[in-house]
Amino acid sequence: MPSVIHTVIADDESLARNKLRILLDSEAGIQIVAECRNGAETIAAVRSHKPDLLFLDIQMPDANGFDVLSAISAEEMPITIFTTAFDQFAIRAFEAHALDYLLKPFDQGRLHHSIERARAEFLKSHDSELAHRILDALAKGRTTTDRRLVIKAGGRVVFIDVDEIHWIEAAANYVKLNVGKESYLLRESIGHVSERLDPEQFIRIHRSTIVNVQKIKELQPCNSGEYIVVLKTGKELSCSRGYRAGLQQLIGKNV
């Protein structure tokens, strides 16, 4: 989680920008890196400053708030909090994955609540970035003498052997790395993750599941040519017919 949250304010009304700036000055760890009056300025500021947080008005000249988000790539996208005087856009805002929707006029308490939610999201993001280290180690094929990682997760320091990853599952816009009794969220598609993993150790058995072959105990047939993959822990995972050939080739057995 960043010690300083770099923030962009986007609102076409100068009084609204001034009020928000004053309120943000009372919040610890907030640094305003740009103030924008319209959509074009906002898009340019996000690309230039790469802020952690964006306070975004909906109705602005030349491009509304939703147009702004559409023009920003996933890699550049900051956590976004909408600020508006209109309540009819709330559902659309959350569909656009906004963290919060502040209805003007809002006070310090309401803003503080949003900031705390943003801090929590940054903590999740931080854990996701650390989970990248696990995948990077797998992709680089590190030797057994360099397979233990030290990561921070939820305020703890955790030592993880990459062989301890049991399975990986899709979870909305994330994947979840299941490491023993722990799990770590990573904001990435399961298809991209599959391409980065060591194919001699990890295989996709379902459109939403990747499994560590070393953790498989047995395969149990079920209906329609599908199988249940039983891990050594007793966890059961579905192996769909479309991915059976890859598993068969990897383990060298007829299933």
Side-chain angles (χ1 to χ4, degrees), residues 1-2 27 53 74 77 82 107 127 137 143 145 158 173 202 204 209:
M1 181 174 63
E27 296 291 332
L53 182 61
M77 187 69 68
F82 276 110
D107 59 14
D127 288 348
T143 64
T145 60
V158 183
N173 295 326
F202 289 84
R204 195 168 179 178
T209 311

Side-chain angles (χ1 to χ4, degrees), residues 6 12 26-27 31 33 52 60 63 67 86 129 166 194 218:
H6 298 100
D12 63 322
S26 299
E27 296 291 332
Q31 179 180 344
V33 295
D52 305 302
M60 296 187 297
D67 295 330
F86 304 94
E129 291 174 4
H166 291 194
S194 180
E218 61 182 86

